[in-house]
Amino acid sequence: MARIIAIDYGTKRTGIAITDELQMIASGLTTVETKKLMPFLKEYFQKEQVEAMVIGEPKRMNNEASDVEAHIIRFRESVLKTFPDLKIIRQDERFTSKMAFQTMIDSGIGKKKRQNKALVDQISATIILQDYLYNK
Protein backbone atom coordinates (compact mmCIF):
# COMPACT_ATOMS: atom_id res chain seq x y z
CA MET A 1 0.00 0.00 0.00
CA ALA A 2 0.99 3.59 -0.47
CA ARG A 3 1.34 6.12 2.31
CA ILE A 4 -0.96 9.00 3.22
CA ILE A 5 0.61 12.39 3.90
CA ALA A 6 -0.93 15.12 6.05
CA ILE A 7 -0.37 18.84 5.83
CA ASP A 8 -0.87 21.44 8.56
CA TYR A 9 -0.57 24.41 6.21
CA GLY A 10 0.60 27.76 7.50
CA THR A 11 1.65 30.91 5.70
CA LYS A 12 5.20 30.68 7.16
CA ARG A 13 5.67 27.00 8.13
CA THR A 14 3.90 23.80 7.24
CA GLY A 15 3.85 20.72 9.43
CA ILE A 16 3.96 17.37 7.67
CA ALA A 17 3.03 13.89 8.91
CA ILE A 18 2.98 10.55 7.14
CA THR A 19 1.51 7.10 7.64
CA ASP A 20 3.32 3.82 7.52
CA GLU A 21 2.80 1.74 4.37
CA LEU A 22 -0.15 -0.11 5.97
CA GLN A 23 -1.81 3.25 6.73
CA MET A 24 -2.23 2.39 10.39
CA ILE A 25 0.20 4.69 12.20
CA ALA A 26 0.62 8.45 11.80
CA SER A 27 4.05 9.89 12.51
CA GLY A 28 5.42 13.40 12.34
CA LEU A 29 7.75 13.78 9.38
CA THR A 30 9.03 17.36 9.45
CA THR A 31 8.18 21.03 9.25
CA VAL A 32 9.21 23.02 6.19
CA GLU A 33 9.06 26.66 5.23
CA THR A 34 5.86 27.00 3.22
CA LYS A 35 7.68 28.61 0.31
CA LYS A 36 9.77 25.40 0.05
CA LEU A 37 6.79 23.05 0.43
CA MET A 38 6.21 22.11 -3.23
CA PRO A 39 9.90 21.30 -3.91
CA PHE A 40 9.92 19.21 -0.72
CA LEU A 41 6.80 17.30 -1.82
CA LYS A 42 8.17 16.67 -5.31
CA GLU A 43 11.36 15.20 -3.85
CA TYR A 44 9.48 13.16 -1.24
CA PHE A 45 7.01 11.73 -3.80
CA GLN A 46 9.93 10.59 -5.96
CA LYS A 47 11.21 8.48 -3.04
CA GLU A 48 7.92 7.30 -1.52
CA GLN A 49 4.63 6.13 -2.92
CA VAL A 50 1.85 8.40 -1.62
CA GLU A 51 -1.78 7.85 -2.58
CA ALA A 52 -3.53 10.63 -0.69
CA MET A 53 -2.96 13.96 1.01
CA VAL A 54 -4.95 15.11 4.01
CA ILE A 55 -4.94 18.89 4.29
CA GLY A 56 -6.09 20.51 7.50
CA GLU A 57 -9.20 22.63 7.17
CA PRO A 58 -8.99 25.52 9.62
CA LYS A 59 -12.39 26.78 10.70
CA ARG A 60 -13.54 29.30 13.24
CA MET A 61 -15.90 28.29 16.03
CA ASN A 62 -18.88 29.55 13.99
CA ASN A 63 -17.87 27.15 11.18
CA GLU A 64 -16.60 29.93 8.87
CA ALA A 65 -13.32 29.43 7.04
CA SER A 66 -10.27 31.04 8.63
CA ASP A 67 -8.12 33.64 6.89
CA VAL A 68 -5.53 31.09 5.75
CA GLU A 69 -8.15 29.11 3.76
CA ALA A 70 -7.56 31.21 0.60
CA HIS A 71 -3.87 30.22 0.72
CA ILE A 72 -4.80 26.57 1.23
CA ILE A 73 -7.12 26.62 -1.79
CA ARG A 74 -4.27 27.93 -3.99
CA PHE A 75 -1.92 25.29 -2.54
CA ARG A 76 -4.49 22.55 -3.21
CA GLU A 77 -4.87 23.69 -6.83
CA SER A 78 -1.09 23.64 -7.26
CA VAL A 79 -0.89 20.13 -5.79
CA LEU A 80 -3.64 18.85 -8.10
CA LYS A 81 -1.89 20.37 -11.11
CA THR A 82 1.48 18.87 -10.16
CA PHE A 83 0.16 15.49 -8.90
CA PRO A 84 -3.11 14.88 -10.79
CA ASP A 85 -3.53 11.30 -9.49
CA LEU A 86 -3.21 12.28 -5.83
CA LYS A 87 -6.40 12.08 -3.79
CA ILE A 88 -6.90 15.22 -1.67
CA ILE A 89 -8.93 15.04 1.55
CA ARG A 90 -9.80 17.93 3.85
CA GLN A 91 -9.89 17.31 7.61
CA ASP A 92 -11.17 19.69 10.28
CA GLU A 93 -8.17 20.94 12.22
CA ARG A 94 -9.82 22.98 14.95
CA PHE A 95 -7.92 22.77 18.25
CA THR A 96 -5.02 20.75 16.79
CA SER A 97 -2.45 23.36 17.83
CA LYS A 98 -3.79 23.33 21.39
CA MET A 99 -3.84 19.52 21.37
CA ALA A 100 -0.27 19.47 20.03
CA PHE A 101 0.89 21.80 22.80
CA GLN A 102 -0.86 19.68 25.42
CA THR A 103 0.73 16.55 23.93
CA MET A 104 4.13 18.17 24.35
CA ILE A 105 3.39 18.94 28.00
CA ASP A 106 2.06 15.42 28.63
CA SER A 107 5.17 13.95 27.00
CA GLY A 108 7.41 15.81 29.41
CA ILE A 109 8.94 18.07 26.77
CA GLY A 110 10.66 20.99 28.46
CA LYS A 111 9.39 24.56 28.33
CA LYS A 112 12.17 25.67 25.97
CA LYS A 113 11.33 22.97 23.40
CA ARG A 114 7.60 23.70 23.69
CA GLN A 115 8.30 27.17 22.30
CA ASN A 116 9.46 25.54 19.05
CA LYS A 117 6.54 26.37 16.73
CA ALA A 118 7.89 24.05 14.04
CA LEU A 119 7.49 21.11 16.42
CA VAL A 120 3.93 22.22 17.24
CA ASP A 121 3.14 22.31 13.49
CA GLN A 122 4.56 18.82 12.97
CA ILE A 123 2.58 17.40 15.90
CA SER A 124 -0.54 19.19 14.63
CA ALA A 125 -0.13 17.51 11.23
CA THR A 126 0.17 14.17 13.03
CA ILE A 127 -3.06 14.83 14.95
CA ILE A 128 -4.85 15.78 11.70
CA LEU A 129 -3.66 12.52 10.14
CA GLN A 130 -4.59 10.44 13.21
CA ASP A 131 -8.09 11.96 13.16
CA TYR A 132 -8.45 11.10 9.48
CA LEU A 133 -7.26 7.51 10.01
CA TYR A 134 -9.57 7.06 12.98
CA ASN A 135 -12.62 8.32 11.09
CA LYS A 136 -12.04 6.82 7.63
Short mmCIF file of all heavy atoms in Angstrom, two decimals, residues 55-113:
data_model
loop_
_atom_site.label_atom_id
_atom_site.label_comp_id
_atom_site.label_asym_id
_atom_site.label_seq_id
_atom_site.Cartn_x
_atom_site.Cartn_y
_atom_site.Cartn_z
N ILE A 55 -5.29 17.50 4.02
CA ILE A 55 -4.94 18.89 4.29
C ILE A 55 -5.87 19.40 5.38
O ILE A 55 -7.10 19.29 5.26
CB ILE A 55 -5.07 19.77 3.03
CG1 ILE A 55 -4.20 19.23 1.91
CG2 ILE A 55 -4.71 21.22 3.36
CD1 ILE A 55 -4.39 19.94 0.58
N GLY A 56 -5.29 19.95 6.42
CA GLY A 56 -6.09 20.51 7.50
C GLY A 56 -7.00 21.61 7.01
O GLY A 56 -6.62 22.42 6.16
N GLU A 57 -8.21 21.61 7.53
CA GLU A 57 -9.20 22.63 7.17
C GLU A 57 -9.47 23.49 8.41
O GLU A 57 -10.22 23.10 9.30
CB GLU A 57 -10.49 21.96 6.70
CG GLU A 57 -11.51 22.91 6.17
CD GLU A 57 -12.70 22.20 5.55
OE1 GLU A 57 -12.85 20.97 5.71
OE2 GLU A 57 -13.49 22.89 4.90
N PRO A 58 -8.82 24.67 8.45
CA PRO A 58 -8.99 25.52 9.62
C PRO A 58 -10.32 26.27 9.58
O PRO A 58 -10.64 26.93 8.60
CB PRO A 58 -7.81 26.50 9.52
CG PRO A 58 -7.50 26.56 8.06
CD PRO A 58 -7.88 25.22 7.50
N LYS A 59 -11.10 26.10 10.62
CA LYS A 59 -12.39 26.78 10.70
C LYS A 59 -12.47 27.53 12.02
O LYS A 59 -11.87 27.14 13.02
CB LYS A 59 -13.54 25.77 10.64
CG LYS A 59 -13.69 25.08 9.32
CD LYS A 59 -14.89 24.17 9.35
CE LYS A 59 -15.07 23.44 8.03
NZ LYS A 59 -16.25 22.59 8.05
N ARG A 60 -13.26 28.58 12.01
CA ARG A 60 -13.54 29.30 13.24
C ARG A 60 -14.64 28.55 13.99
O ARG A 60 -15.28 27.64 13.45
CB ARG A 60 -13.99 30.72 12.92
CG ARG A 60 -12.89 31.56 12.29
CD ARG A 60 -13.32 33.01 12.18
NE ARG A 60 -12.24 33.81 11.65
CZ ARG A 60 -12.13 34.15 10.38
NH1 ARG A 60 -13.03 33.78 9.50
NH2 ARG A 60 -11.10 34.87 9.98
N MET A 61 -14.89 28.96 15.21
CA MET A 61 -15.90 28.29 16.03
C MET A 61 -17.30 28.37 15.42
O MET A 61 -18.12 27.49 15.61
CB MET A 61 -15.91 28.87 17.45
CG MET A 61 -14.68 28.51 18.25
SD MET A 61 -14.36 26.75 18.32
CE MET A 61 -15.78 26.18 19.19
N ASN A 62 -17.57 29.42 14.63
CA ASN A 62 -18.88 29.55 13.99
C ASN A 62 -18.95 28.82 12.65
O ASN A 62 -19.86 29.02 11.87
CB ASN A 62 -19.25 31.03 13.82
CG ASN A 62 -18.29 31.76 12.89
OD1 ASN A 62 -17.37 31.17 12.33
ND2 ASN A 62 -18.50 33.06 12.73
N ASN A 63 -17.95 28.00 12.37
CA ASN A 63 -17.87 27.15 11.18
C ASN A 63 -17.44 27.90 9.92
O ASN A 63 -17.44 27.33 8.84
CB ASN A 63 -19.18 26.40 10.94
CG ASN A 63 -18.97 24.91 10.89
OD1 ASN A 63 -17.91 24.41 11.27
ND2 ASN A 63 -19.96 24.20 10.43
N GLU A 64 -17.11 29.19 10.02
CA GLU A 64 -16.60 29.93 8.87
C GLU A 64 -15.14 29.57 8.64
O GLU A 64 -14.43 29.20 9.57
CB GLU A 64 -16.70 31.44 9.13
CG GLU A 64 -18.10 31.98 9.12
CD GLU A 64 -18.14 33.48 9.38
OE1 GLU A 64 -17.07 34.13 9.41
OE2 GLU A 64 -19.25 34.00 9.56
N ALA A 65 -14.72 29.70 7.38
CA ALA A 65 -13.32 29.43 7.04
C ALA A 65 -12.42 30.49 7.67
O ALA A 65 -12.80 31.65 7.80
CB ALA A 65 -13.15 29.43 5.53
N SER A 66 -11.22 30.09 8.06
CA SER A 66 -10.27 31.04 8.63
C SER A 66 -9.58 31.80 7.49
O SER A 66 -9.73 31.48 6.31
CB SER A 66 -9.23 30.32 9.48
OG SER A 66 -8.29 29.67 8.66
N ASP A 67 -8.78 32.79 7.87
CA ASP A 67 -8.12 33.64 6.89
C ASP A 67 -7.13 32.88 6.01
O ASP A 67 -6.90 33.25 4.86
CB ASP A 67 -7.38 34.78 7.61
CG ASP A 67 -8.34 35.69 8.36
OD1 ASP A 67 -9.53 35.75 8.00
OD2 ASP A 67 -7.88 36.35 9.32
N VAL A 68 -6.54 31.83 6.51
CA VAL A 68 -5.53 31.09 5.75
C VAL A 68 -6.16 30.19 4.68
O VAL A 68 -5.46 29.70 3.79
CB VAL A 68 -4.61 30.28 6.71
CG1 VAL A 68 -5.32 29.05 7.24
CG2 VAL A 68 -3.32 29.89 6.06
N GLU A 69 -7.47 30.02 4.70
CA GLU A 69 -8.15 29.11 3.76
C GLU A 69 -7.88 29.50 2.31
O GLU A 69 -7.71 28.63 1.46
CB GLU A 69 -9.65 29.07 4.04
CG GLU A 69 -10.42 28.12 3.15
CD GLU A 69 -10.05 26.64 3.32
OE1 GLU A 69 -9.47 26.26 4.35
OE2 GLU A 69 -10.35 25.86 2.39
N ALA A 70 -7.83 30.78 1.99
CA ALA A 70 -7.56 31.21 0.60
C ALA A 70 -6.19 30.71 0.15
O ALA A 70 -6.03 30.27 -1.01
CB ALA A 70 -7.64 32.72 0.50
N HIS A 71 -5.21 30.73 1.04
CA HIS A 71 -3.87 30.22 0.72
C HIS A 71 -3.92 28.70 0.51
O HIS A 71 -3.25 28.17 -0.37
CB HIS A 71 -2.88 30.54 1.85
CG HIS A 71 -2.66 32.00 2.06
ND1 HIS A 71 -1.82 32.77 1.30
CD2 HIS A 71 -3.20 32.84 2.98
CE1 HIS A 71 -1.83 34.01 1.72
NE2 HIS A 71 -2.68 34.08 2.75
N ILE A 72 -4.69 28.02 1.34
CA ILE A 72 -4.80 26.57 1.23
C ILE A 72 -5.45 26.17 -0.09
O ILE A 72 -5.02 25.21 -0.73
CB ILE A 72 -5.56 25.99 2.44
CG1 ILE A 72 -4.74 26.20 3.72
CG2 ILE A 72 -5.87 24.51 2.24
CD1 ILE A 72 -5.48 25.85 5.00
N ILE A 73 -6.45 26.91 -0.51
CA ILE A 73 -7.12 26.62 -1.79
C ILE A 73 -6.12 26.73 -2.94
O ILE A 73 -6.08 25.87 -3.82
CB ILE A 73 -8.34 27.54 -1.98
CG1 ILE A 73 -9.45 27.14 -1.00
CG2 ILE A 73 -8.84 27.48 -3.42
CD1 ILE A 73 -10.60 28.11 -0.91
N ARG A 74 -5.30 27.79 -2.93
CA ARG A 74 -4.27 27.93 -3.99
C ARG A 74 -3.26 26.80 -3.92
O ARG A 74 -2.85 26.25 -4.95
CB ARG A 74 -3.57 29.29 -3.87
CG ARG A 74 -4.43 30.43 -4.39
CD ARG A 74 -3.61 31.71 -4.56
NE ARG A 74 -3.09 32.25 -3.31
CZ ARG A 74 -3.79 33.02 -2.47
NH1 ARG A 74 -5.02 33.33 -2.73
NH2 ARG A 74 -3.22 33.47 -1.37
N PHE A 75 -2.85 26.41 -2.71
CA PHE A 75 -1.92 25.29 -2.54
C PHE A 75 -2.53 24.00 -3.09
O PHE A 75 -1.89 23.26 -3.83
CB PHE A 75 -1.56 25.13 -1.06
CG PHE A 75 -0.86 23.84 -0.75
CD1 PHE A 75 0.43 23.60 -1.19
CD2 PHE A 75 -1.51 22.84 -0.03
CE1 PHE A 75 1.07 22.39 -0.91
CE2 PHE A 75 -0.88 21.64 0.25
CZ PHE A 75 0.41 21.42 -0.19
N ARG A 76 -3.78 23.75 -2.74
CA ARG A 76 -4.49 22.55 -3.21
C ARG A 76 -4.53 22.50 -4.74
O ARG A 76 -4.29 21.46 -5.34
CB ARG A 76 -5.90 22.53 -2.64
CG ARG A 76 -6.70 21.31 -3.00
CD ARG A 76 -8.11 21.41 -2.39
NE ARG A 76 -8.93 20.29 -2.79
CZ ARG A 76 -9.62 20.23 -3.93
NH1 ARG A 76 -9.59 21.22 -4.79
NH2 ARG A 76 -10.33 19.15 -4.21
N GLU A 77 -4.83 23.63 -5.37
CA GLU A 77 -4.87 23.69 -6.83
C GLU A 77 -3.50 23.38 -7.42
O GLU A 77 -3.39 22.66 -8.42
CB GLU A 77 -5.37 25.06 -7.30
CG GLU A 77 -6.84 25.29 -7.01
CD GLU A 77 -7.29 26.73 -7.21
OE1 GLU A 77 -6.43 27.60 -7.52
OE2 GLU A 77 -8.49 26.98 -7.04
N SER A 78 -2.46 23.90 -6.81
CA SER A 78 -1.09 23.64 -7.26
C SER A 78 -0.74 22.16 -7.12
O SER A 78 -0.12 21.57 -8.02
CB SER A 78 -0.13 24.51 -6.45
OG SER A 78 1.20 24.26 -6.83
N VAL A 79 -1.15 21.56 -6.01
CA VAL A 79 -0.89 20.13 -5.79
C VAL A 79 -1.60 19.30 -6.85
O VAL A 79 -1.02 18.39 -7.44
CB VAL A 79 -1.32 19.70 -4.36
CG1 VAL A 79 -1.33 18.18 -4.23
CG2 VAL A 79 -0.41 20.30 -3.32
N LEU A 80 -2.87 19.61 -7.11
CA LEU A 80 -3.64 18.85 -8.10
C LEU A 80 -3.05 18.99 -9.50
O LEU A 80 -3.08 18.04 -10.29
CB LEU A 80 -5.10 19.30 -8.10
CG LEU A 80 -5.92 18.83 -6.90
CD1 LEU A 80 -7.30 19.48 -6.89
CD2 LEU A 80 -6.05 17.32 -6.89
N LYS A 81 -2.51 20.16 -9.80
CA LYS A 81 -1.89 20.37 -11.11
C LYS A 81 -0.59 19.57 -11.23
O LYS A 81 -0.30 18.98 -12.26
CB LYS A 81 -1.61 21.87 -11.32
CG LYS A 81 -1.22 22.23 -12.72
CD LYS A 81 -0.94 23.72 -12.86
CE LYS A 81 -2.24 24.49 -12.72
NZ LYS A 81 -2.06 25.94 -12.94
N THR A 82 0.18 19.54 -10.16
CA THR A 82 1.48 18.87 -10.16
C THR A 82 1.35 17.35 -10.00
O THR A 82 2.09 16.59 -10.60
CB THR A 82 2.37 19.43 -9.03
OG1 THR A 82 2.42 20.86 -9.14
CG2 THR A 82 3.77 18.87 -9.10
N PHE A 83 0.38 16.92 -9.17
CA PHE A 83 0.16 15.49 -8.90
C PHE A 83 -1.30 15.14 -9.17
O PHE A 83 -2.09 14.95 -8.24
CB PHE A 83 0.51 15.18 -7.43
CG PHE A 83 1.85 15.68 -6.99
CD1 PHE A 83 1.95 16.80 -6.16
CD2 PHE A 83 3.02 15.04 -7.38
CE1 PHE A 83 3.18 17.28 -5.75
CE2 PHE A 83 4.26 15.51 -6.97
CZ PHE A 83 4.34 16.64 -6.15
N PRO A 84 -1.69 15.05 -10.45
CA PRO A 84 -3.11 14.88 -10.79
C PRO A 84 -3.75 13.59 -10.27
O PRO A 84 -4.97 13.54 -10.10
CB PRO A 84 -3.13 14.94 -12.32
CG PRO A 84 -1.72 14.69 -12.75
CD PRO A 84 -0.84 15.12 -11.63
N ASP A 85 -2.98 12.58 -9.97
CA ASP A 85 -3.53 11.30 -9.49
C ASP A 85 -3.66 11.25 -7.97
O ASP A 85 -4.18 10.27 -7.43
CB ASP A 85 -2.67 10.13 -9.97
CG ASP A 85 -2.67 10.00 -11.49
OD1 ASP A 85 -3.69 10.37 -12.11
OD2 ASP A 85 -1.66 9.54 -12.05
N LEU A 86 -3.20 12.26 -7.29
CA LEU A 86 -3.21 12.28 -5.83
C LEU A 86 -4.60 12.63 -5.31
O LEU A 86 -5.20 13.62 -5.73
CB LEU A 86 -2.19 13.30 -5.31
CG LEU A 86 -1.94 13.33 -3.80
CD1 LEU A 86 -1.26 12.05 -3.34
CD2 LEU A 86 -1.09 14.53 -3.44
N LYS A 87 -5.11 11.81 -4.42
CA LYS A 87 -6.40 12.08 -3.79
C LYS A 87 -6.18 13.12 -2.69
O LYS A 87 -5.28 12.97 -1.87
CB LYS A 87 -6.95 10.78 -3.20
CG LYS A 87 -8.28 10.92 -2.52
CD LYS A 87 -8.73 9.55 -1.98
CE LYS A 87 -9.98 9.68 -1.16
NZ LYS A 87 -10.36 8.40 -0.55
N ILE A 88 -7.01 14.17 -2.68
CA ILE A 88 -6.90 15.22 -1.67
C ILE A 88 -8.13 15.14 -0.76
O ILE A 88 -9.26 15.09 -1.23
CB ILE A 88 -6.84 16.62 -2.31
CG1 ILE A 88 -5.71 16.70 -3.32
CG2 ILE A 88 -6.79 17.69 -1.24
CD1 ILE A 88 -4.46 17.34 -2.87
N ILE A 89 -7.87 15.13 0.54
CA ILE A 89 -8.93 15.04 1.55
C ILE A 89 -8.76 16.23 2.48
O ILE A 89 -7.64 16.56 2.87
CB ILE A 89 -8.80 13.72 2.35
CG1 ILE A 89 -8.90 12.53 1.41
CG2 ILE A 89 -9.83 13.65 3.47
CD1 ILE A 89 -7.90 11.46 1.68
N ARG A 90 -9.86 16.85 2.86
CA ARG A 90 -9.80 17.93 3.85
C ARG A 90 -10.26 17.37 5.20
O ARG A 90 -11.19 16.57 5.27
CB ARG A 90 -10.71 19.10 3.43
CG ARG A 90 -10.32 19.77 2.11
CD ARG A 90 -8.92 20.37 2.10
NE ARG A 90 -8.65 21.35 3.13
CZ ARG A 90 -8.91 22.64 3.05
NH1 ARG A 90 -9.46 23.14 1.96
NH2 ARG A 90 -8.64 23.45 4.06
N GLN A 91 -9.60 17.80 6.26
CA GLN A 91 -9.89 17.31 7.61
C GLN A 91 -9.94 18.50 8.56
O GLN A 91 -9.01 19.31 8.59
CB GLN A 91 -8.79 16.33 8.05
CG GLN A 91 -8.95 15.75 9.42
CD GLN A 91 -10.04 14.71 9.48
OE1 GLN A 91 -10.33 14.04 8.51
NE2 GLN A 91 -10.68 14.59 10.63
N ASP A 92 -11.01 18.60 9.31
CA ASP A 92 -11.17 19.69 10.28
C ASP A 92 -9.96 19.69 11.21
O ASP A 92 -9.59 18.66 11.76
CB ASP A 92 -12.45 19.47 11.07
CG ASP A 92 -12.83 20.64 11.97
OD1 ASP A 92 -11.97 21.50 12.25
OD2 ASP A 92 -13.98 20.69 12.40
N GLU A 93 -9.37 20.86 11.38
CA GLU A 93 -8.17 20.94 12.22
C GLU A 93 -8.35 21.84 13.43
O GLU A 93 -7.38 22.24 14.07
CB GLU A 93 -6.96 21.40 11.41
CG GLU A 93 -7.03 22.83 10.93
CD GLU A 93 -5.70 23.34 10.40
OE1 GLU A 93 -5.16 22.73 9.46
OE2 GLU A 93 -5.20 24.33 10.94
N ARG A 94 -9.60 22.13 13.77
CA ARG A 94 -9.82 22.98 14.95
C ARG A 94 -9.19 22.34 16.18
O ARG A 94 -9.29 21.13 16.38
CB ARG A 94 -11.31 23.19 15.18
CG ARG A 94 -11.89 24.26 14.26
CD ARG A 94 -13.34 24.42 14.53
NE ARG A 94 -14.06 23.36 13.82
CZ ARG A 94 -15.35 23.42 13.52
NH1 ARG A 94 -16.07 24.45 13.87
NH2 ARG A 94 -15.91 22.43 12.88
N PHE A 95 -8.54 23.13 16.97
CA PHE A 95 -7.92 22.77 18.25
C PHE A 95 -6.66 21.91 18.12
O PHE A 95 -6.11 21.50 19.12
CB PHE A 95 -8.92 22.06 19.18
CG PHE A 95 -10.18 22.83 19.40
CD1 PHE A 95 -11.39 22.34 18.96
CD2 PHE A 95 -10.17 24.05 20.06
CE1 PHE A 95 -12.56 23.04 19.15
CE2 PHE A 95 -11.33 24.76 20.26
CZ PHE A 95 -12.54 24.26 19.81
N THR A 96 -6.20 21.61 16.90
CA THR A 96 -5.02 20.75 16.79
C THR A 96 -3.77 21.39 17.39
O THR A 96 -2.96 20.70 17.98
CB THR A 96 -4.74 20.30 15.34
OG1 THR A 96 -4.61 21.45 14.50
CG2 THR A 96 -5.83 19.39 14.83
N SER A 97 -3.63 22.70 17.24
CA SER A 97 -2.45 23.36 17.83
C SER A 97 -2.49 23.27 19.35
O SER A 97 -1.47 23.01 20.00
CB SER A 97 -2.37 24.82 17.39
OG SER A 97 -2.10 24.89 16.02
N LYS A 98 -3.67 23.46 19.93
CA LYS A 98 -3.79 23.33 21.39
C LYS A 98 -3.54 21.89 21.82
O LYS A 98 -2.90 21.63 22.83
CB LYS A 98 -5.18 23.79 21.84
CG LYS A 98 -5.35 25.28 21.77
CD LYS A 98 -6.70 25.72 22.25
CE LYS A 98 -6.72 27.23 22.24
NZ LYS A 98 -7.91 27.84 21.81
N MET A 99 -4.06 20.93 21.05
CA MET A 99 -3.84 19.52 21.37
C MET A 99 -2.36 19.17 21.24
O MET A 99 -1.83 18.41 22.05
CB MET A 99 -4.68 18.64 20.44
CG MET A 99 -6.17 18.75 20.71
SD MET A 99 -7.19 18.00 19.41
CE MET A 99 -6.71 16.30 19.49
N ALA A 100 -1.69 19.73 20.23
CA ALA A 100 -0.27 19.47 20.03
C ALA A 100 0.53 20.01 21.22
O ALA A 100 1.43 19.33 21.73
CB ALA A 100 0.21 20.11 18.73
N PHE A 101 0.20 21.20 21.65
CA PHE A 101 0.89 21.80 22.80
C PHE A 101 0.67 20.96 24.05
O PHE A 101 1.61 20.69 24.80
CB PHE A 101 0.42 23.25 23.00
CG PHE A 101 1.26 24.01 23.96
CD1 PHE A 101 2.52 24.48 23.60
CD2 PHE A 101 0.80 24.28 25.24
CE1 PHE A 101 3.31 25.18 24.50
CE2 PHE A 101 1.59 24.98 26.14
CZ PHE A 101 2.84 25.44 25.77
N GLN A 102 -0.56 20.50 24.26
CA GLN A 102 -0.86 19.68 25.42
C GLN A 102 -0.12 18.34 25.34
O GLN A 102 0.37 17.83 26.35
CB GLN A 102 -2.36 19.44 25.56
CG GLN A 102 -2.75 18.73 26.85
CD GLN A 102 -2.36 19.51 28.10
OE1 GLN A 102 -2.63 20.70 28.21
NE2 GLN A 102 -1.70 18.86 29.03
N THR A 103 -0.01 17.79 24.14
CA THR A 103 0.73 16.55 23.93
C THR A 103 2.19 16.73 24.33
O THR A 103 2.79 15.85 24.94
CB THR A 103 0.63 16.10 22.46
OG1 THR A 103 -0.74 15.86 22.15
CG2 THR A 103 1.45 14.85 22.18
N MET A 104 2.75 17.89 23.99
CA MET A 104 4.13 18.17 24.35
C MET A 104 4.29 18.23 25.87
O MET A 104 5.25 17.68 26.41
CB MET A 104 4.58 19.48 23.69
CG MET A 104 4.66 19.39 22.18
SD MET A 104 4.85 20.99 21.37
CE MET A 104 6.56 21.35 21.73
N ILE A 105 3.34 18.86 26.53
CA ILE A 105 3.39 18.94 28.00
C ILE A 105 3.28 17.54 28.60
O ILE A 105 4.07 17.15 29.46
CB ILE A 105 2.27 19.85 28.54
CG1 ILE A 105 2.54 21.30 28.16
CG2 ILE A 105 2.11 19.71 30.06
CD1 ILE A 105 1.39 22.25 28.42
N ASP A 106 2.29 16.78 28.12
CA ASP A 106 2.06 15.42 28.63
C ASP A 106 3.25 14.51 28.39
O ASP A 106 3.47 13.55 29.14
CB ASP A 106 0.80 14.82 28.00
CG ASP A 106 -0.47 15.55 28.41
OD1 ASP A 106 -0.44 16.34 29.37
OD2 ASP A 106 -1.50 15.32 27.74
N SER A 107 4.00 14.78 27.33
CA SER A 107 5.17 13.95 27.00
C SER A 107 6.41 14.34 27.79
O SER A 107 7.46 13.73 27.63
CB SER A 107 5.48 14.06 25.50
OG SER A 107 4.39 13.59 24.75
N GLY A 108 6.27 15.39 28.59
CA GLY A 108 7.41 15.81 29.41
C GLY A 108 8.42 16.67 28.66
O GLY A 108 9.55 16.83 29.12
N ILE A 109 8.03 17.21 27.53
CA ILE A 109 8.94 18.07 26.77
C ILE A 109 9.11 19.38 27.53
O ILE A 109 8.14 19.99 27.97
CB ILE A 109 8.40 18.32 25.34
CG1 ILE A 109 8.41 17.00 24.56
CG2 ILE A 109 9.21 19.37 24.61
CD1 ILE A 109 7.79 17.07 23.19
N GLY A 110 10.34 19.80 27.69
CA GLY A 110 10.66 20.99 28.46
C GLY A 110 10.08 22.27 27.88
O GLY A 110 9.73 22.34 26.70
N LYS A 111 10.00 23.29 28.72
CA LYS A 111 9.39 24.56 28.33
C LYS A 111 10.09 25.18 27.12
O LYS A 111 9.43 25.71 26.23
CB LYS A 111 9.43 25.52 29.52
CG LYS A 111 8.62 26.76 29.32
CD LYS A 111 8.57 27.58 30.61
CE LYS A 111 7.66 28.77 30.44
NZ LYS A 111 7.54 29.54 31.67
N LYS A 112 11.40 25.09 27.08
CA LYS A 112 12.17 25.67 25.97
C LYS A 112 11.78 25.02 24.64
O LYS A 112 11.56 25.70 23.64
CB LYS A 112 13.65 25.50 26.25
CG LYS A 112 14.55 26.13 25.24
CD LYS A 112 14.88 27.54 25.63
CE LYS A 112 15.99 28.07 24.73
NZ LYS A 112 15.98 29.50 24.67
N LYS A 113 11.69 23.69 24.63
CA LYS A 113 11.33 22.97 23.40
C LYS A 113 9.88 23.21 23.00
O LYS A 113 9.54 23.17 21.83
CB LYS A 113 11.58 21.47 23.57
CG LYS A 113 12.86 20.99 22.95
CD LYS A 113 12.86 19.49 22.87
CE LYS A 113 13.81 19.05 21.79
NZ LYS A 113 13.97 17.63 21.75
#
